[in-house]
Structures are given as structure tokens and as C-alpha cells.
Amino acid sequence: MTEPKPPPRVRVTSPQMAGRRRAHPAPGRGAAAEIDEQTGVGELYLTGLLRSQLRAGLALLALVLLGLGGLPVLFLLLPQVADHPIGPVTVAWLLLGAAVYPVLLLAAWWHVRTAERVERDFVAFLRRR
């Protein structure tokens, strides 16, 4: 007995495959196409977004470092404040050991909110173009 012959292979393609990809987006296609196709203009848009987010992050970092880094300086300049007891602990331990966490939580919340706002503005800008 002979084995049955398998059916011939068929190549399935999309009708859009015959079209050539464009090197540059067509006029009026918008900023999103510039970004998708990684053109020079799209890179400028993304660079602007990243710079905005970096600026916000560095500003927050500077505030947190000045605020938290300023506490030990304050305690050196005013040792009576640092050594003042509140319950079983001193003000220095209370501020550096407990009050720091809500400040960092608030800073993180602000940073996320700012980054999301910058991204929303960027998406709104892309939709206008």
C-alpha cells in the first residue's frame, strides 16, 4: 500500500505586505508616527519627555537631600533642640527615625503624580499633532 500524499503547502500573506515601507511618515500623520518610525523629530519629542521627567526627579531629589541632609546640620548648630526629650526619645531620634518616612512617602507620591501629569500632557500633545 502506498502512503497518501500530503496536501501541497500554501503560503498565506497579507495584502499589505506587497506595499513598501516608507522611510519618512506622510505629511499630516502626526507626532505618534514620528515616534513609531523613530525619525529625528520623534527622537526630539521623546527627548523632551525624558528631560521633563528628569527635571522633576532632580528637583525632588534636591529638595529631599536638602531637607533630610539639613537635619544633621541643624542638630549640630542647635544641640539643645536635638537633645530635647519627647517621651523616651530625643527630637533628633524622633525626626530621623520616624518623621523621615512620611516625608519620603509624600515625596514619592508627588513624584509619581508629576511623572503621570507629564506623560498625560505628552499624550495630549501627540493627539493634537
Side-chain angles (χ1 to χ4, degrees):
M1 237 185 178
T2 63
E3 285 187 33
K5 220 174 185 186
R9 294 184 133 192
V10 177
R11 183 175 180 189
V12 179
T13 61
S14 168
Q16 296 175 354
M17 292 297 290
R20 213 170 62 117
R21 288 196 76 163
R22 296 181 193 163
H24 300 288
R29 282 193 50 197
E34 297 279 352
I35 292 170
D36 288 342
E37 295 183 9
Q38 298 178 351
T39 64
V41 174
E43 281 189 38
L44 288 175
Y45 289 147
L46 287 178
T47 301
L49 171 67
L50 293 175
R51 280 187 182 159
S52 297
Q53 289 182 334
L54 180 64
R55 194 176 313 119
L58 290 176
L60 178 67
L61 179 65
L63 285 173
V64 168
L65 286 179
L66 284 174
L68 296 180
L71 285 176
V73 173
L74 174 72
F75 297 150
L76 280 174
L77 295 175
L78 302 170
Q80 66 276 15
V81 173
D83 295 335
H84 183 73
I86 296 180
V89 296
T90 62
V91 170
W93 278 104
L94 190 62
L95 287 177
L96 292 174
V100 167
Y101 298 106
V103 170
L104 290 177
L105 186 64
L106 182 65
W109 172 80
W110 180 83
H111 179 66
V112 168
R113 192 170 160 185
T114 303
E116 288 174 348
R117 181 184 50 79
V118 167
E119 288 173 5
R120 273 193 313 273
D121 293 347
F122 182 71
V123 169
F125 170 77
L126 291 181
R127 288 188 179 145
R128 283 194 308 258
R129 297 265 165 213

